[in-house]
Amino acid sequence: MIDTEGDCAEWTFPADPGAVRTARSCVRRQLHGWNLDSVGDITALLVSELVTNALRHATGPIGVRLVHPAGLPETLLVEVSDPLPDMPRERAARPEDESGRGLQLVASTSRRWGTRPGADGKTVWFELAVPG
């Protein structure tokens, strides 16, 4: 864990299969601490999808960051970063495909989402509406 001060929490996980479970657990614990259990299930699911995608393609550390700004209490921003510079692409998975639905799920359940390049790879982010 790097930081859990105020309205931001941030962790870095090694690129190994246990990272998905650990990221989910950290996210749920932080959201509980912020009294945001109402978005805990969907946030944990989407973080799992994005961390899994990062594990499939990247070999370096995976970052997860939550931001719940005091000035925008109805918004939760979630970011998942990895060292691979290639941007992910949303694709239409066929019914028989065993993977390829992660970004579709992010796109269909979040308020908005996107990607951005970084100095050391990329970040996939999404925003969720927090019920008031």
Side-chain angles (χ1 to χ4, degrees), residues 3 7 23 25 64 74 83 88 109 116 130:
D3 177 31
D7 58 3
S25 175
V64 175
E74 72 284 350
T109 56
R116 69 174 181 271
V130 175

Side-chain angles (χ1 to χ4, degrees), residues 30-120:
Q30 185 63 46
L31 292 177
H32 180 74
W34 285 341
N35 295 315
L36 296 179
D37 293 311
S38 61
V39 294
D41 288 343
I42 191 63
T43 306
L45 173 64
L46 297 180
V47 165
S48 292
E49 291 292 333
L50 294 179
V51 170
T52 298
N53 284 353
L55 282 172
R56 281 198 178 117
H57 305 288
T59 58
I62 299 165
V64 175
R65 183 171 182 251
L66 304 177
V67 181
H68 185 239
L72 294 170
E74 72 284 350
T75 301
L76 177 67
L77 172 66
V78 181
E79 300 175 332
V80 176
S81 302
D82 67 59
L84 193 67
D86 302 330
M87 294 295 166
R89 292 172 307 185
E90 184 181 358
R91 67 181 183 92
R94 298 181 309 253
E96 65 274 11
D97 290 345
E98 293 184 13
S99 64
R101 293 177 182 80
L103 287 178
Q104 281 182 311
L105 188 59
V106 169
S108 67
T109 56
S110 61
R111 181 187 290 166
R112 49 188 205 129
W113 75 280
T115 60
R116 69 174 181 271
D120 297 316

Side-chain angles (χ1 to χ4, degrees), residues 11 13 19-31 44:
W11 304 268
F13 304 102
V20 177
R21 181 180 62 244
T22 305
R24 236 186 350 253
S25 175
C26 289
V27 164
R28 283 184 180 282
R29 190 170 30 253
Q30 185 63 46
L31 292 177

